[in-house]
Amino acid sequence: MELNQIYFYTASIKDWTSLLNTDKFKLIVLDSIIHLVKKEKIKVYGFVIMPNHIHLIWESVSMNGKEKPHASFMKFTGHQFLEELRKRDGGILERFKSEDGNRNYQFWQRNSLPIKMYDKKILEQKLNYIHLNPLQAHWNLVSDPNEYYYSSCAFYEREDMTFDWITDYRDAM
């Protein structure tokens, strides 16, 4: 992903495991995003954290040391997932055992999907898609997308400033 470009980004937990089902793991993702925003490494225009994947509309603003921010995000959250699972493991950690010689565990699938946002209309379509994600029949997490806490929907629809670190896309495009 290039710096100073807005992307729609999807990352899935390995084998579509519902690791993000509990708030503890969702908060690891959220805290990592907030940390990178506060360090001015990324801007986030929209997000949703689902039980087994995340969608972000974000922009990498500057390198995080020698890494691009998305790489730091994936690495940090993976380390935090490992630490948390070691504390509470009920056998789930074995699902993430890696055959890769570079690592013992892998939490994110390797095929994260970044799609460059070239215009406002496409960005709005993707934002609408992620905000409606919790309502899909196979998830059925809420009946009103504004009620799903781990989403930027209420930021846009209700001007809810719970996530005041979100950058309004209308100010960027």
Side-chain angles (χ1 to χ4, degrees):
M1 292 184 353
E2 301 170 38
L3 293 178
N4 302 307
Q5 295 290 322
I6 299 173
Y7 288 88
F8 170 73
Y9 183 80
T10 300
S12 304
I13 298 297
K14 183 181 174 200
D15 299 329
W16 295 93
T17 304
S18 291
L19 180 64
L20 305 174
N21 227 2
T22 63
D23 287 351
K24 178 67 178 171
F25 290 96
K26 287 185 191 97
L27 288 172
I28 289 170
V29 171
L30 204 51
D31 289 346
S32 181
I33 292 169
I34 293 168
H35 174 77
L36 289 168
V37 169
K38 289 185 176 179
K39 283 184 63 181
E40 298 181 354
K41 302 299 176 189
I42 63 172
K43 291 181 182 176
V44 175
Y45 302 100
F47 78 97
V48 68
I49 304 171
M50 299 298 291
N52 63 9
H53 67 284
I54 62 171
H55 295 295
L56 295 162
I57 297 175
W58 64 351
E59 174 180 4
S60 294
V61 178
S62 64
M63 298 291 282
N64 190 32
K66 294 180 180 182
E67 295 180 314
K68 289 191 176 173
H70 74 278
S72 296
F73 168 78
M74 301 298 272
K75 189 185 298 182
F76 178 79
T77 53
H79 287 297
Q80 294 299 112
F81 294 161
L82 178 59
E83 190 175 302
E84 186 61 29
L85 285 173
R86 280 186 171 151
K87 285 185 219 171
R88 64 158 75 184
D89 186 20
I92 192 172
L93 191 54
E94 279 303 307
R95 290 186 188 177
F96 299 102
K97 198 88 167 122
S98 176
E99 302 298 319
D100 184 346
N102 295 338
R103 66 184 77 195
N104 294 325
Y105 298 94
Q106 177 185 338
F107 294 96
W108 296 104
Q109 295 196 141
R110 294 190 188 278
N111 60 347
S112 298
L113 181 63
I115 301 170
K116 195 181 289 189
M117 297 288 94
Y118 289 102
D119 67 31
K120 187 176 175 180
K121 183 178 178 182
I122 300 295
L123 188 149
E124 288 171 342
Q125 287 174 345
K126 295 297 186 188
L127 193 61
N128 189 48
Y129 170 78
I130 68 175
H131 289 163
L132 295 177
N133 215 233
L135 276 66
Q136 290 182 5
H138 62 281
W139 294 119
N140 199 26
L141 298 172
V142 290
S143 57
D144 176 350
N146 289 292
E147 298 302 319
Y148 189 66
Y149 181 78
Y150 297 98
S151 167
S152 54
C153 187
F155 174 86
Y156 287 104
E157 298 297 321
R158 295 183 176 168
E159 298 181 13
D160 181 330
M161 296 308 291
T162 299
F163 301 126
D164 61 355
W165 44 266
I166 295 174
T167 300
D168 192 317
Y169 75 92
R170 294 167 289 205
D171 298 333
M173 293 191 104

